[in-house]
Amino acid sequence: MKSENDVFDLYQNTFMPIYGDLVVVSGKKPPELLEQLESCMAHFAVARTTQDPALIQENIAAAYRHIVRASLDAAKLLWTTLHTNVETFVMNEEIRRFCANASEGQIHTQYQKAQNASINARQTEISNVGIDPEKSIQDWYNAALEYKNLLELIDLDKVRQFKKYRLLVNYKTHLLGFVLGVLASTLVSWFWPQYPNRAIANDAQAAGKPYSVEAPGQR
């Protein structure tokens, strides 16, 4: 049997820390979590305004389930966000090489820890489907924190500087290619019209006939 204190304790000590990290990492408040909180408050309103003990307990239990659902969703959304960031930064070989504050070995070790924690969270969730979804909340949160620790091995300032450097290099490469292409086209357009004239002159000279080679536009 759940009480109002149980709901408040779950909200304050479980949901809020996870939700706070999620908002900081993602920069937004997922609407599905807000819907769960609204549903929780609706059940509280019923529990506080009815005189039926059974109905009070039923709505408190429902409010608790909504906080459980919100906490689990928040933990998994946090995991997904951090996992995506890891795939973007840590799994990039150039970023690992030039923008990391740790060795390749340290990064690999932390990545394995995060992977193992994720597998453990998934197994806990599956084994408690329809039984007690609350049990996997902390496991998913721990797995997300392992990915957070992994991301802390990457210097984001170095990443930004590296991206600017790569952009500059690509710009210079494309500019050089363009200039060489224009130069090559100019040389071909200038030399190619003279080539048939020179060939004719060579044939005339071989036959003992006079022939002069003129540049384009001189005739």
Side-chain angles (χ1 to χ4, degrees):
M1 181 179 295
K2 299 299 181 181
S3 66
E4 289 186 0
N5 287 337
D6 292 328
V7 179
F8 292 141
D9 181 69
L10 182 66
Y11 173 82
Q12 191 68 32
N13 298 321
T14 299
F15 174 76
M16 284 305 297
I18 301 173
Y19 182 67
D21 284 350
L22 175 61
V23 172
V24 170
V25 170
S26 66
K28 58 185 179 181
K29 298 180 179 181
E32 57 267 38
L33 302 184
L34 299 180
E35 290 174 4
Q36 293 289 346
L37 296 181
E38 288 178 1
S39 297
C40 172
M41 295 305 297
H43 285 292
F44 258 127
V46 175
R48 282 302 186 96
T49 55
T50 184
Q51 301 299 319
D52 185 346
L55 194 56
I56 292 174
Q57 182 55 45
E58 178 183 339
N59 279 276
I60 290 177
Y64 188 89
R65 288 194 298 270
H66 281 295
I67 298 298
V68 169
R69 185 71 258 174
S71 299
L72 181 57
D73 288 348
K76 293 173 74 173
L77 285 171
L78 178 62
W79 180 92
T80 300
T81 303
L82 291 169
H83 180 268
T84 300
N85 291 343
V86 164
E87 295 297 317
T88 301
F89 297 118
V90 179
M91 302 311 293
N92 184 307
E93 183 179 354
E94 290 184 332
I95 290 179
R96 288 201 314 271
R97 181 179 301 174
F98 300 113
C99 306
N101 294 324
S103 66
E104 290 269 356
Q106 289 174 304
I107 293 175
H108 178 74
T109 298
Q110 183 58 41
Y111 181 76
Q112 287 300 318
K113 286 180 64 177
Q115 289 286 80
N116 292 337
S118 302
I119 292 172
N120 179 67
R122 182 58 178 160
Q123 290 175 341
T124 302
E125 181 181 17
I126 291 175
S127 63
N128 284 281
V129 170
I131 302 174
D132 187 3
E134 185 178 350
K135 286 188 175 180
S136 63
I137 294 174
Q138 192 61 44
D139 286 346
W140 276 115
Y141 187 41
N142 290 339
L145 292 179
E146 292 294 351
Y147 278 118
K148 182 181 179 182
N149 293 336
L150 178 56
L151 285 170
E152 288 176 353
L153 300 179
I154 301 297
D155 190 326
L156 296 183
D157 286 335
K158 290 181 180 179
V159 172
R160 284 189 285 270
Q161 293 173 7
F162 179 74
K163 287 184 176 180
K164 289 180 180 178
Y165 168 76
R166 287 300 304 271
L167 185 63
L168 179 61
V169 169
N170 290 337
Y171 173 77
K172 289 183 176 180
T173 300
H174 288 126
L175 180 61
L176 179 61
F178 174 76
V179 172
L180 291 178
V182 171
L183 180 60
S185 298
T186 302
L187 292 176
V188 169
S189 65
W190 191 82
F191 281 111
W192 179 252
Q194 297 189 57
Y195 177 77
N197 293 339
R198 292 186 181 278
I200 294 173
N202 291 336
D203 292 341
Q205 185 178 4
K209 300 178 181 180
Y211 189 88
S212 63
V213 178
E214 298 178 350
Q218 292 182 346
R219 292 183 182 182

